[in-house]
Amino acid sequence: MPLKAELHCHIEGAAAPELVIRQAQKYGEDASPYIQNGSFVWHDFTSFLAAYDFSADLFRTEEDYARLADHYLTSLARDGAIYSEVFTSPDHATKAGLSPKAYTDALGEGMLRAKAKTGIEGRMIVTGVRHVGVESIERAARFAARCGNPLVTGFGVAGDERVGEMEDYVRAFEIAREAGLGITIHAGELTGWETVQAALDHIRPSRIGHGVRAIENPDLVRRIADEGIVLECCPGSNIALKVFDSFDDHPFPALQAAGCKVTLNSDDPPYFWTSLKREYDIAAEHFAMNEKALAAVTRTAIEAAFVDRKTKAALLARLNGAAR
Ligand SMILES: [Zn+2]
């Protein structure tokens, strides 16, 4: 089994169905409209969001969030992952009645519990949500910059790409950059190559969340390769959301062949009936990647990780040790 690393996963979207059912029991809610036979059920973006919000709403206390991070990272480690970055969303915390600080520290506590059991390293990327608005994104950036949790190492923007313009988020990203945080932004998933170009022009991230629709513009693909931008690819998510018709139509191999740095990620795994392990399996099956090629993808992810130099060196040493 190849060692794995993940850069793109939304923590609220990572809650496994069995954990959500347990949380629903705890709070006296009925999960059956959203989870059947151990899987989330949805059929369009609206019902996807309904299931997502139902489940996210079942995480309310610090202990709930600690359990969520612990459960997810422990399951990743079981599948061979040595490193995990998750997107966190202070807006979710506020909705649940927790302060962003309490929410973040609780997730961090869960990550440390998973690390104590399995050795997996975890970090957090605080995200603003586009469809909530520019002000909340800047609030999230200010929070990320001064929250003081050592596991918060990045800032990003997620949410509906069709809302807002990249220029709107420049100030938020400047706040994050000044605080020394790593920068990533979702683009080129539900919208075309233009949003990837706008992200590179205005936000100057080292990584792009998805970015796969850059494939529509060969000049942009060349620019991504030349600038060494890392793409956080999520093939299972893309197929579930019908961004591409099938895995055989997915541009992962073409982007890689063009010299772009690509990584494998699960996005909101149980909602897309996937896992990080399944993404590696998809790459093996549909993108003709052998163990060595998959290990190289893990290396790319660790090299692009928002983590201190010492931890990165230790992770690379683990990877090298496993390759021997
Ligand atoms: Zn995402």
Side-chain angles (χ1 to χ4, degrees):
M1 189 164 65
L3 292 182
K4 303 175 183 74
E6 182 165 66
L7 304 180
H8 189 123
C9 177
H10 303 264
I11 190 65
E12 279 85 7
E18 77 262 16
L19 180 61
V20 172
I21 288 170
R22 241 187 291 153
Q23 292 294 114
Q25 283 162 351
K26 174 174 172 182
Y27 290 113
E29 304 276 355
D30 177 16
S32 65
Y34 308 103
I35 298 175
Q36 282 155 24
N37 302 320
S39 293
F40 285 102
V41 283
W42 56 270
H43 56 274
D44 59 13
F45 201 64
T46 307
S47 55
F48 162 72
L49 282 182
Y52 198 101
D53 286 344
F54 170 80
S55 144
D57 178 53
L58 295 171
F59 294 88
R60 301 177 187 177
T61 66
E62 287 162 88
E63 183 50 33
D64 291 343
Y65 281 105
R67 191 179 305 156
L68 172 60
D70 179 4
H71 192 273
Y72 182 60
L73 266 73
T74 300
S75 74
L76 271 185
R78 228 180 276 129
D79 286 343
I82 58 173
Y83 183 72
S84 153
E85 277 175 22
V86 299
F87 294 124
T88 67
S89 164
D91 283 332
H92 270 296
T94 314
K95 243 195 266 169
L98 272 185
S99 74
K101 171 80 175 146
Y103 157 89
T104 304
D105 289 348
L107 288 170
E109 164 63 26
M111 291 185 144
L112 293 177
R113 286 184 201 166
K115 182 180 173 179
K117 281 183 285 187
T118 67
I120 188 168
E121 279 290 345
R123 295 293 185 274
M124 289 178 269
I125 301 170
V126 173
T127 54
V129 180
R130 287 180 80 130
H131 50 267
V132 179
V134 175
E135 225 164 84
S136 92
I137 290 174
E138 287 179 13
R139 202 162 48 234
R142 282 194 299 273
F143 170 73
R146 60 166 171 72
C147 74
N149 189 306
L151 300 185
V152 169
T153 54
F155 178 72
V157 163
D160 194 334
E161 277 173 33
R162 295 162 293 194
V163 177
E165 300 292 334
M166 288 296 172
E167 290 96 314
D168 301 342
Y169 312 123
V170 168
R171 194 157 63 166
F173 280 98
E174 287 309 321
I175 293 167
R177 202 186 318 269
E178 250 168 58
L181 297 172
I183 300 290
T184 177
I185 184 164
H186 282 57
E189 177 198 13
L190 300 178
T191 54
W193 64 270
E194 294 91 342
T195 55
V196 180
Q197 178 156 295
L200 296 184
D201 287 346
H202 297 288
I203 308 294
R204 295 179 292 116
S206 63
R207 303 182 346 211
I208 297 268
H210 298 284
V212 280
R213 293 201 35 204
I215 198 70
E216 296 160 6
N217 180 331
D219 290 336
L220 180 60
V221 171
R222 208 165 308 124
R223 178 176 174 191
I224 289 167
D226 288 348
E227 295 184 7
I229 306 295
V230 174
L231 302 179
E232 303 159 4
C233 299
C234 312
S237 160
N238 293 158
I239 301 310
L241 291 176
K242 301 189 167 65
V243 176
F244 304 101
D245 292 335
S246 73
F247 290 115
D248 297 327
D249 297 317
H250 196 280
F252 186 98
L255 288 164
Q256 190 176 40
C260 298
K261 293 183 177 175
V262 286
T263 59
L264 289 164
N265 305 276
S266 68
D267 208 5
D268 300 288
Y271 292 91
F272 302 138
W273 310 290
T274 191
S275 64
L276 184 61
K277 179 182 181 301
R278 179 155 185 270
E279 298 298 321
Y280 276 69
D281 290 345
I282 288 166
E285 188 184 334
H286 296 277
F287 309 151
M289 297 181 77
N290 59 21
E291 290 256 332
K292 202 173 151 207
L294 292 172
V297 167
T298 303
R299 178 179 309 277
T300 299
I302 289 173
E303 283 169 351
F306 298 153
V307 75
D308 59 280
R309 208 175 296 170
K310 202 174 141 210
T311 307
K312 191 177 287 193
L315 290 165
L316 288 171
R318 265 186 89 176
L319 199 56
N320 292 339
R324 237 171 259 136

